[in-house]
Amino acid sequence: MKLRNKFLSALAVVALTSCSDQMDYKEFSIYDTAYMQKKFERAGGFLSTIYADLDSDFGNYSGAMLSSATDESVYSHAGNAIESFFNGAWSPTNANSSIWTTCYHGIAYCNLFLDEFTGLKFEDYKLDKNFMAEMYQYNNYQWEARFLRAYFYFLLVRQYGGVPLLTKNMEANEASVQPRATADEIYAFIDSECAAIKDSITKDYGDLGNLAMTPANNGRANNLAVLALRARAALYHASPLFNPNNDKELWRKAAELNKAVIDSCQARKMKLSTDYRGLFIGNTSWSDANAVGEIIFGRRMPTENRNFETYNFPVGISGAGAGGGGGNCPSQNLVEAYEDGDKRFGQTIACNGDSWPNANTTPLETFEGGLNGLPKAYATPTGYYLKKYVTESVQIAGNGANTCKHVWVTFRLAEFYLNYAECMLNLTGSGYEAASGFTMTPKYAIDQVRRRAGLAGIEEGLSASEFKDKYEKERFVEFAFEGHRFFDVRRWKEGDKYFKTIYGLKITKNADGTFTETKTVVQNRQWDESKMNLFPIPQSEILKSGHVLEQNPGW
């Protein structure tokens, strides 16, 4: 059939090379089933097109990360679009709706692939020496497509609640008038899809004969990615935003599924990396065995570049690092969440006096009047600069200017220890007890992550509320700048507690060379608990549906 759906009429991109460790992005035209039947790489290219719609956040708002709409950071360029989340400009007509558009684009591709391009026989290739391996890979594509579709629905439900549930290929005018399913129905769909495909999708892409991909497990979705998606979605479903009656069975199911991820990783000899910072540096996380041992799934960006470094290197730095944009500057809120001795602090945040990045020949001066401080344009308003995800060896200026790889970490093992701890805490009301049928306590699970950071285990004797606060701080620092905080605080319904007042550190250099540090308010932000836990449905989509789509409350 010819492609008529408006989502699919444009040029598709991205062909997956079968003997590479990366997604090879090429132009790829889609025609019809007969065309797809001619060559394996056409089906593979189409499937890989869908991977291009996965989420990442290397500065999606003209350099600003979603972190700068939370208490993690402040973007140093005033007037950036990220401010619409907290300055009153957010609305159905200014809906920050890229996820809606991208996810439904990906879902349409998944549905088309599943409806039209499965079950192909590739008769012309039967005598090819690689035929069996190629068919194995092709037959796995349907499970990848179902995983990707379920993942897109997770992105949508955590952001909007209930959304239209489209599970077959349809014309654009039909798709646009579908009503919203409930959030419970979307979570049930994600769970059932993951349950259906977890034992069918490949466990190891390194087991494809001479089509093997290296590194084996974190470039495309395998069954661990399916288990991880199912577990994370279950956690969200059990959380207060989606579980207002605190149904304990949702917490129990989430605990079981998150423990299953931990057990499956351990069975494969996966463990927490000893190099926390290396998890987020593309040249390392792409292939280093230590990092790959923790990363379950990540989106590999298609080309090497230095955009993220240019956005986030400090202003005023010297040498071939000159010209940094300041970028997403960690807040004092985040800084105060770290405990003394936490190795993650120095691996995430650059401070006054640090030598950062490599090309900068002078220690950072983030004090007022310093080389890297206010009142320089775009200097840090908080007293800090970002290290996490920033490759310090990159040079962004001069003859030595270079680029690097970037990988957005989607799922990693540490998440599931902390997810499990949260589920168990909500089941038992104690950080030191496991519910019936479980043996791992919340404390034990959290301590696995803390010890990697060089910290002692959580102290004994905390009340439930004290332990909850400890847990939330642990999650804050462990996942800083990974995209969790924006949605964690919303699913907890704690925006009033965390998102209203953002602090920085004013540093003054005294005549004797010492420094005076004063905690200051950098931003007072709007927060409306009645509506801001979910995004507004884009008004354009409501109009397109003839008002079949209903707006989220408060918007």
Side-chain angles (χ1 to χ4, degrees):
M1 68 175 270
K2 293 290 183 181
L3 304 184
R4 293 170 294 172
N5 189 310
K6 81 169 189 175
F7 291 118
L8 305 170
S9 60
L11 184 72
V13 294
V14 194
L16 180 64
T17 58
S18 58
C19 299
S20 171
D21 68 349
Q22 61 184 314
M23 297 291 188
D24 184 16
Y25 284 63
K26 302 176 181 178
E27 289 192 350
F28 182 84
S29 297
I30 300 173
Y31 295 97
D32 54 24
T33 305
Y35 179 84
M36 296 288 285
Q37 288 175 327
K38 295 294 184 182
K39 293 185 177 181
F40 285 103
E41 60 263 30
R42 292 173 182 168
F46 184 33
L47 193 281
S48 299
T49 300
I50 305 171
Y51 277 91
D53 284 328
L54 290 173
D55 60 319
S56 63
D57 188 9
F58 290 108
N60 290 343
Y61 291 84
S62 300
M65 303 172 75
L66 207 55
S67 65
S68 290
T70 77
D71 53 350
E72 289 176 307
S73 63
V74 176
Y75 196 60
S76 65
H77 297 234
N80 185 273
I82 199 70
E83 295 175 8
S84 66
F85 283 108
F86 54 79
N87 68 4
W90 199 14
S91 72
T93 57
N94 183 33
N96 295 321
S97 59
S98 61
I99 286 292
W100 181 283
T101 303
T102 302
C103 286
Y104 275 114
H105 178 274
I107 288 166
Y109 267 65
C110 290
N111 287 337
L112 180 65
F113 184 89
L114 292 167
D115 287 357
E116 300 292 338
F117 301 137
T118 56
L120 303 182
K121 302 300 182 183
F122 299 103
E123 298 289 343
D124 293 345
Y125 282 78
K126 283 192 173 180
L127 298 180
D128 191 314
K129 66 178 182 179
N130 296 325
F131 180 75
M132 295 303 294
E134 288 172 325
M135 283 302 295
Y136 178 91
Q137 187 169 8
Y138 165 72
N139 288 328
N140 191 66
Y141 288 158
Q142 62 185 303
W143 315 123
E144 291 182 68
R146 289 176 69 176
F147 163 80
L148 290 165
R149 182 175 62 180
Y151 184 78
F152 292 135
Y153 274 116
F154 169 72
L155 296 182
L156 288 166
V157 71
R158 76 171 179 177
Q159 188 157 307
Y160 295 101
V163 293
L165 181 57
L166 313 179
T167 59
K168 65 179 182 178
N169 184 40
M170 59 180 65
E171 300 284 349
N173 58 357
E174 180 185 3
S176 66
V177 297
Q178 298 303 306
R180 297 175 69 176
T182 66
D184 286 342
E185 289 169 337
I186 299 296
Y187 281 117
F189 173 78
I190 296 168
D191 184 72
S192 64
E193 281 291 279
C194 291
I197 68 177
K198 65 181 178 65
D199 296 325
S200 298
I201 194 170
T202 189
K203 291 185 176 181
D204 186 358
Y205 286 97
D207 189 24
L208 298 177
N210 60 6
L211 295 181
M213 298 175 62
T214 55
N217 295 315
N218 73 343
R220 291 165 56 193
N222 63 9
N223 83 315
L224 269 184
V226 175
L227 297 178
L229 171 60
R230 191 182 186 195
R232 184 191 287 179
L235 173 73
Y236 271 70
H237 193 196
S239 299
L241 180 60
F242 300 105
N243 183 18
N245 296 322
N246 197 26
D247 182 347
K248 296 294 185 180
E249 287 307 306
L250 292 180
W251 286 114
R252 175 172 286 277
K253 180 175 183 177
E256 292 170 349
L257 294 176
N258 280 277
K259 182 61 163 58
V261 175
I262 297 169
D263 292 344
S264 295
C265 287
Q266 290 177 341
R268 299 187 195 194
K269 310 299 183 184
M270 295 177 68
K271 59 184 179 181
L272 299 183
S273 172
T274 58
D275 179 12
Y276 176 80
R277 177 161 168 71
L279 292 169
F280 312 103
I281 302 303
N283 294 335
T284 302
S285 62
W286 196 281
S287 58
D288 179 76
N290 199 10
V292 171
E294 177 170 345
I295 297 173
I296 294 170
F297 182 66
R299 182 182 175 188
R300 300 177 176 193
M301 307 312 290
T303 58
E304 292 192 16
N305 61 68
R306 54 178 173 268
N307 297 339
F308 191 68
E309 287 68 28
T310 301
Y311 286 144
N312 291 287
F313 274 180
V315 301
I317 53 180
S318 57
N328 300 276
C329 301
S331 68
Q332 188 67 19
N333 308 55
L334 175 60
V335 167
E336 292 179 359
Y338 290 89
E339 297 177 23
D340 291 343
D342 193 328
K343 295 178 183 179
R344 293 169 295 192
F345 180 84
Q347 296 167 330
T348 304
I349 297 169
C351 304
N352 184 53
D354 284 358
S355 296
W356 173 264
N358 289 358
N360 185 35
T361 58
T362 304
L364 291 179
E365 298 180 355
T366 65
F367 54 85
E368 289 198 345
L371 292 173
N372 319 106
L374 294 171
K376 284 186 179 291
Y378 310 134
T380 172
T382 65
Y384 307 100
Y385 287 104
L386 178 63
K387 285 185 178 178
K388 193 168 179 179
Y389 270 122
V390 180
T391 302
E392 62 188 303
S393 61
V394 165
Q395 297 184 11
I396 64 175
N399 293 332
N402 60 350
T403 59
C404 65
K405 297 175 180 177
H406 295 88
V407 178
W408 184 254
V409 178
T410 307
F411 300 119
R412 60 185 180 92
L413 177 57
E415 174 187 344
F416 300 93
Y417 280 111
L418 296 188
N419 288 358
Y420 173 87
E422 182 176 341
C423 296
M424 198 56 52
L425 181 61
N426 278 277
L427 274 175
T428 67
S430 168
Y432 309 99
E433 296 178 15
S436 174
F438 298 90
T439 57
M440 186 189 300
T441 66
K443 171 180 162 53
Y444 181 90
I446 297 172
D447 285 351
Q448 307 314 299
V449 178
R450 288 173 60 85
R451 290 197 175 103
R452 192 252 302 275
L455 297 175
I458 293 177
E459 61 268 37
E460 298 288 345
L462 297 179
S463 68
S465 62
E466 289 170 333
F467 198 97
K468 177 176 178 291
D469 182 65
K470 197 84 167 180
Y471 166 78
E472 292 185 359
K473 286 182 178 177
E474 191 65 35
R475 195 172 178 95
F476 193 11
V477 300
E478 175 68 20
F479 300 134
F481 301 97
E482 294 182 52
H484 289 271
R485 184 69 172 176
F486 185 94
F487 294 102
D488 280 345
V489 171
R490 284 172 162 80
R491 67 182 176 84
W492 296 331
K493 301 182 71 174
E494 293 183 343
D496 276 325
K497 177 180 177 181
Y498 290 119
F499 284 174
K500 282 189 170 182
T501 306
I502 312 301
Y503 295 96
L505 195 68
K506 179 182 178 181
I507 307 172
T508 304
K509 187 173 184 178
N510 303 315
D512 61 359
T514 61
F515 296 97
T516 299
E517 299 178 342
T518 307
K519 181 178 177 179
T520 59
V521 175
V522 177
Q523 288 179 343
N524 285 307
R525 297 177 174 176
Q526 296 183 29
W527 178 262
D528 187 341
E529 186 68 26
S530 70
K531 63 180 183 180
M532 285 187 172
N533 288 316
L534 295 174
F535 280 45
I537 303 292
Q539 188 65 21
S540 58
E541 298 297 328
I542 291 176
L543 293 175
K544 193 188 303 179
S545 76
H547 293 276
V548 171
L549 286 178
E550 297 179 358
Q551 186 55 267
N552 274 328
W555 293 106

